[in-house]
Amino acid sequence: MTHVDTDAQLIDSGLVDSLSAVDVALAVEREFGVKIPPSEIDVHLQSVHTLADYIAANRKV
């Protein structure tokens, strides 16, 4: 298992490529019911922290 700092740049650093970014977006939608628009995937997957903030702000409880 690889430890990833919550502020590490996921796409820019190569930790997440374009195909896995789509997989992450689909998993977020399945798990949390939050859809990430395809044109915004790179914005919301900048880091784990950025993704968590987006999920928290858009999750319907």
Side-chain angles (χ1 to χ4, degrees), residues 39-55:
S39 62
E40 298 176 13
I41 289 175
D42 60 332
V43 173
H44 302 301
L45 264 67
Q46 288 181 9
S47 68
V48 173
H49 189 189
T50 304
L51 179 58
D53 287 346
Y54 180 76
I55 292 169

Side-chain angles (χ1 to χ4, degrees), residues 4 8-25 41-42 44-48 51:
V4 177
Q9 296 296 304
L10 299 176
I11 295 174
D12 291 343
S13 70
L15 288 169
V16 174
D17 63 18
S18 59
L19 291 176
S20 58
V22 172
D23 288 340
V24 170
I41 289 175
D42 60 332
H44 302 301
L45 264 67
Q46 288 181 9
S47 68
V48 173
L51 179 58

Side-chain angles (χ1 to χ4, degrees), residues 1 3 6-7 10 13 18 31 35-37 53 55:
M1 180 181 279
H3 174 77
T6 58
D7 291 316
L10 299 176
S13 70
S18 59
E31 186 68 27
K35 184 173 177 90
I36 302 173
D53 287 346
I55 292 169

Side-chain angles (χ1 to χ4, degrees), residues 24-35 51-52 55-56 58-61:
V24 170
L26 293 172
V28 165
E29 186 173 359
R30 277 192 312 270
E31 186 68 27
F32 301 105
V34 174
K35 184 173 177 90
L51 179 58
I55 292 169
N58 292 280
R59 190 170 185 193
K60 295 178 175 93
V61 180

